[in-house]
C-alpha cells in the first residue's frame, strides 16, 4: 500500500492581456486565503483554500486547448455533451497518489483529511453546484496488482488531482474555481497577486487559442495488432473451455491495437480528437487526462457510479450487438439482443453483483425490472439502471471500493476472473476499464468506466477494447465485436468519418 499526497510548488510565467475577470472579487479571495492561513496556524499543517466565482462562457474544447497552451501544468477534460456538463482542470496544487489493493480506501482517507479543514467560499453571484468548488479529478488502474510496463508510466494505481484552476460548465453558468494550499507563514497579498497573474495567463491563452477546423477531417493511419487475431481468438476459445469446466462464469478479455500516423513527424491533435468524439457520441462521457506529454482519451458509454444529494446511481451494462443499416434492421437487432439468452445471462451476472456491492453502502437499493437498450453510434448494449440511498458519512470513493471491477469489465466470480486475466491476457491495461471521474467536497461526484479509449503519445496511440466471454461465446464473433468497439477511437483519431 502506498499513499502519496504531494503539494507542487513553484512560480509560473505571468503574461496575458485583457480585463482580469475577478478583480471585483479580489477582497473575497484575500479573505479566503487569510482564513485558511489562520486554520493552518491552529492545525499546524497546510490547509486548502478554495474560491469560486462566475466567468464568461467560451467553448469547452477551446478552453482545454488554451489551458494546455498556458503552460500552467498538466490538464484534464471531462464532458457529458448531452447533459451540458464539463470540467476543465489546469495544473495541480495537490494530488493523492495511491497503489495496491486498498487504493480506493486510501484515497478516501486522504480526501477526507484534505477536506477536513478546507476553507471553501463562493462569490455572491455564484451558485454552488456539485461540479464546482474543490473538485478532484482522476482515475484508477483496472487492476493495481497487475503487470506494469512503461506504457502506463505516470499512471499509478490511483491518482486524484486538485487543479490550480477548474472551469466548471453547467446548463446555467460557468465558474472558475481557484485552489491554493496555504501555510500559516504564507504572505497572503503576494499569494493573491500570483493567483491573479496566473489567471490572467490562463485567460489570455484561452482567448488566443486557435479555432478548431470546421467540417470533417481525416488522417492517414496505420494499424498494428499487438497480439495477432489468431492468437487472441485461441485465447478466447481457451477461456470458453475453462468456463465450461466450471473455473468461473464470465471473464472479460481486452484486446489492444497500435495506431500510428503515416507522417511520423506529425502528432495527434487531442483537441480535434475530443471534438470528433463529442460530435459522434453526445451521450457518452468524453475525457482526456494529461500525464507529461501523453493523454489518456476516450468516449465511454458506461457510468460506474454517481453520488448526488445522498443518492447513488449506477447501471449494469453488459451484452452487445451492432447497429442496423436501416431503422427496421436496427430495431430487429435490438429485439434480438433483448431476447438473446447469451447476452441476458451475461447481463444478469452484472446486475446481481452491482446490487450486492451497493448493499454495503446503502440503506436501500432499487433495480429496474427489465434491461433497456442503450444505442450508440456503432453498437448497442443492454442496460439496467440501479439506485440506492447512501448511508450518511459515506462518499463515492467508498462505494467504488466494492463496485470495481464489475463483471462487465472483469468477470465473475471477481477474483477467479482477475487471476485468469493476469495469467492469460499478457497486456498492460493500465487505466483502461478502470474508474475515471471526479469527487467534490461533499463526497458527491461521478465516475465512468474508461472504455472506448486509448493512450495517445505524439504520433502513435494504443487503443483498447474488451469482450465479455461466457460459456457459449464464439471467438470469431468476439473478435468482430472488439473491432466495432475500436471504431470509436479510430473515428476520434480521424481514421474514419
Amino acid at each position: 500500500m502506498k499513499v502519496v499526497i504531494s503539494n507542487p510548488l513553484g512560480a509560473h510565467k505571468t503574461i496575458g492581456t485583457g480585463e482580469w475577470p475577478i478583480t471585483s472579487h479580489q477582497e473575497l479571495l484575500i479573505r479566503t486565503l487569510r482564513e485558511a492561513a489562520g486554520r493552518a496556524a491552529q492545525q499546524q499543517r497546510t490547509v486548502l483554500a478554495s474560491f469560486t466565482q462566475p466567468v464568461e462562457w467560451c467553448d469547452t474544447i477551446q478552453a482545454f486547448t488554451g489551458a494546455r497552451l498556458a503552460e500552467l501544468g498538466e490538464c484534464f477534460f471531462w464532458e457529458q455533451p448531452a447533459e451540458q456538463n464539463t470540467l476543465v482542470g489546469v495544473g495541480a496544487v495537490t494530488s493523492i497518489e495511491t497503489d495496491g489493493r486498498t487504493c480506493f480506501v486510501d484515497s478516501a482517507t486522504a480526501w477526507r483529511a484534505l477536506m477536513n479543514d478546507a476553507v471553501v467560499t463562493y462569490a455572491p453571484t455564484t451558485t454552488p453546484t456539485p461540479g464546482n468548488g474543490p473538485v478532484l479529478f482522476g482515475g484508477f488502474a483496472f487492476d493495481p496488482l497487475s503487470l506494469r510496463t512503461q506504457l502506463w508510466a505516470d499512471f499509478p494505481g490511483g491518482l486524484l488531482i486538485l487543479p490550480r484552476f477548474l472551469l466548471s460548465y453547467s446548463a446555467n453558468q460557468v465558474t472558475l474555481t481557484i485552489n491554493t494550499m496555504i501555510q500559516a507563514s504564507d504572505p497572503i497579498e503576494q499569494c493573491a497577486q500570483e493567483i491573479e497573474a496566473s489567471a490572467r495567463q490562463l485567460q489570455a491563452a484561452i482567448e488566443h487559442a486557435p479555432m478548431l477546423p470546421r467540417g470533417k477531417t481525416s488522417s492517414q493511419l496505420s494499424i498494428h495488432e499487438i497480439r495477432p487475431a489468431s492468437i487472441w481468438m485461441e485465447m478466447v476459445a481457451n477461456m470458453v473451455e475453462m468456463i465450461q469446466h466450471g473455473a468461473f462464469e464470465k471473464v472479460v478479455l481486452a484486446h489492444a491495437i497500435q495506431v500510428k500516423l503515416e507522417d511520423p513527424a506529425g502528432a495527434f491533435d487531442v483537441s480535434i480528437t475530443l471534438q470528433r468524439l463529442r460530435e459522434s457520441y453526445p451521450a457518452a462521457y468524453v475525457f482526456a487526462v494529461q500525464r507529461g506529454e501523453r493523454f489518456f482519451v476516450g468516449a465511454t458509454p458506461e457510468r460506474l457510479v454517481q453520488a448526488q444529494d445522498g443518492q447513488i446511481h449506477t447501471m449494469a451494462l453488459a451484452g452487445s450487438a451492432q447497429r442496423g443499416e436501416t431503422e427496421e434492421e436496427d430495431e430487429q437487432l435490438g429485439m434480438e439482443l433483448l431476447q438473446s439468452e447469451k447476452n441476458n445471462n451475461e447481463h444478469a451476472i452484472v446486475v446481481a453483483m452491482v446490487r450486492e456491492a451497493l448493499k454495503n453502502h446503502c440503506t436501500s437499493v432499487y433495480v429496474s425490472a427489465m434491461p433497456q437498450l442503450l444505442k450508440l453510434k456503432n453498437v448497442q448494449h443492454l442496460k439496467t439502471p440501479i439506485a440506492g440511498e447512501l448511508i450518511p458519512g459515506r462518499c463515492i470513493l467508498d462505494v467504488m471500493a466494492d463496485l470495481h471491477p464489475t463483471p462487465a469489465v472483469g468477470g465473475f466470480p471477481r477474483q477467479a476472473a482477475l487471476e485468469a486475466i493476469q495469467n492469460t491476457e499478457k497486456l498492460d491495461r493500465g487505466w483502461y476499464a478502470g474508474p475515471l471521474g471526479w469527487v467534490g467536497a461533499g463526497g458527491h461526484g461521478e465516475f465512468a468506466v474508461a472504455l472506448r479509449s486509448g493512450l495517445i503519445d505524439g504520433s502513435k496511440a494504443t487503443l483498447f477494447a474488451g469482450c465479455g466471454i461466457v460459456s457459449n461465446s464464439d471467438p470469431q464473433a468476439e473478435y468482430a465485436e472488439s473491432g466495432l468497439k475500436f471504431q470509436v477511437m479510430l473515428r476520434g483519431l480521424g481514421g474514419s468519418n
Side-chain angles (χ1 to χ4, degrees), residues 247-264:
F248 35 81
E249 292 183 44
K250 177 187 176 182
V251 65
V252 181
L253 294 179
H255 182 198
I257 57 175
Q258 189 169 84
V259 180
K260 293 183 179 179
L261 283 170
E262 292 287 3
D263 176 10

Side-chain angles (χ1 to χ4, degrees), residues 5 15 44 46 72 173 196 301 378 385 401 442 467:
I5 303 181
I15 58 170
Q44 295 294 295
T46 308
L72 293 167
Q173 67 175 355
E196 180 175 344
N378 58 314
C467 295

Side-chain angles (χ1 to χ4, degrees), residues 421-439:
I421 291 168
Q422 290 170 3
N423 296 332
T424 305
E425 204 173 69
K426 304 293 189 286
L427 176 69
D428 183 6
R429 290 191 185 194
W431 281 19
Y432 165 71
L436 186 136
W438 58 274
V439 55

Side-chain angles (χ1 to χ4, degrees), residues 101-115:
R101 198 180 299 278
T102 58
C103 61
F104 293 108
V105 174
D106 295 337
S107 295
T109 300
W111 167 81
R112 287 186 172 97
L114 177 66
M115 294 299 162

Side-chain angles (χ1 to χ4, degrees), residues 33 39 85 125 155 207 272 310 320 324 339 366 373 389 401 404:
L33 300 177
R39 291 193 190 179
N85 291 324
T125 52
F155 288 84
E207 287 175 352
I272 293 176
S320 307
Q339 294 166 7
Y366 314 97
L373 289 176
E389 297 290 333
H404 176 77

Side-chain angles (χ1 to χ4, degrees), residues 51-381:
F51 174 70
T52 302
Q53 52 125 73
V55 291
E56 290 185 8
W57 187 91
C58 65
D59 178 73
T60 58
I61 294 178
Q62 184 180 351
F64 177 70
T65 304
R68 290 158 53 209
L69 294 173
E71 298 184 347
L72 293 167
E74 295 169 334
C75 301
F76 66 76
F77 180 91
W78 164 273
E79 183 165 88
Q80 295 168 269
E83 303 293 327
Q84 300 181 50
N85 291 324
T86 308
L87 300 175
V88 178
V90 189
V93 295
T94 191
S95 60
I96 297 169
E97 183 178 329
T98 58
D99 228 323
R101 198 180 299 278
T102 58
C103 61
F104 293 108
V105 174
D106 295 337
S107 295
T109 300
W111 167 81
R112 287 186 172 97
L114 177 66
M115 294 299 162
N116 195 36
D117 294 301
V119 178
V120 180
T121 62
Y122 293 82
T125 52
T126 309
T127 304
T129 67
N132 64 25
V135 167
L136 287 91
F137 183 90
F140 295 83
F142 167 75
D143 181 0
L145 303 180
S146 67
L147 165 81
R148 296 289 183 89
T149 69
Q150 280 301 111
L151 178 65
W152 288 93
D154 302 322
F155 288 84
L159 179 68
L160 295 173
I161 299 164
L162 182 69
R164 180 178 300 275
F165 297 110
L166 176 72
L167 285 165
S168 303
Y169 290 72
S170 66
N172 302 317
Q173 67 175 355
V174 184
T175 60
L176 174 71
T177 296
I178 298 161
N179 297 306
T180 313
M181 299 303 294
I182 294 291
Q183 302 178 54
S185 59
D186 283 342
I188 298 305
E189 298 282 348
Q190 184 181 332
C191 286
Q193 290 171 6
E194 290 172 356
I195 289 168
E196 180 175 344
S198 294
R200 283 183 185 272
Q201 184 175 335
L202 174 62
Q203 182 191 18
I206 292 173
E207 287 175 352
H208 295 99
M211 298 292 291
L212 295 181
R214 294 193 175 276
K216 293 188 175 181
T217 58
S218 61
S219 305
Q220 294 298 313
L221 306 178
S222 61
I223 300 173
H224 308 275
E225 297 266 5
I226 290 178
R227 288 187 97 171
S230 59
I231 293 177
W232 193 84
M233 287 190 282
E234 183 182 334
M235 182 172 64
V236 171
N238 291 338
M239 289 296 103
V240 169
E241 189 175 343
M242 290 178 70
I243 291 168
Q244 290 172 347
H245 284 89
F248 35 81
E249 292 183 44
K250 177 187 176 182
V251 65
V252 181
L253 294 179
H255 182 198
I257 57 175
Q258 189 169 84
V259 180
K260 293 183 179 179
L261 283 170
E262 292 287 3
D263 176 10
F268 288 111
D269 188 317
V270 175
S271 292
I272 293 176
T273 297
L274 291 173
Q275 176 77 5
R276 293 187 186 116
L277 293 174
R278 175 169 72 178
E279 290 175 353
S280 295
Y281 304 97
Y285 298 88
V286 178
F287 64 85
V289 186
Q290 182 183 9
R291 299 295 289 160
E293 297 302 312
R294 295 178 299 156
F295 293 84
F296 182 41
V297 180
T300 177
E302 183 170 349
R303 171 196 281 168
L304 178 63
V305 62
Q306 179 192 53
Q308 189 172 338
D309 299 326
Q311 289 198 323
I312 285 287
H313 296 276
T314 183
M315 67 163 90
L317 190 73
S320 307
Q322 68 185 57
R323 297 297 303 273
E325 294 291 333
T326 65
E327 193 174 327
E328 292 76 16
E329 184 190 11
D330 193 58
E331 190 174 329
Q332 177 64 28
L333 288 169
M335 288 303 297
E336 289 174 3
L337 178 58
L338 286 167
Q339 294 166 7
S340 162
E341 182 181 359
K342 180 260 184 189
N343 283 288
N344 273 284
N345 288 343
E346 182 184 341
H347 189 76
I349 292 170
V350 181
V351 171
M353 181 269 168
V354 172
R355 181 196 290 117
E356 287 305 308
L358 288 195
K359 281 182 179 178
N360 295 328
H361 302 281
C362 296
T363 55
S364 53
V365 179
Y366 314 97
V367 181
S368 294
M370 297 290 291
Q372 308 166 2
L373 289 176
L374 175 63
K375 291 180 178 284
L376 303 171
K377 192 177 183 76
N378 58 314
V379 67
Q380 48 191 324
H381 302 285

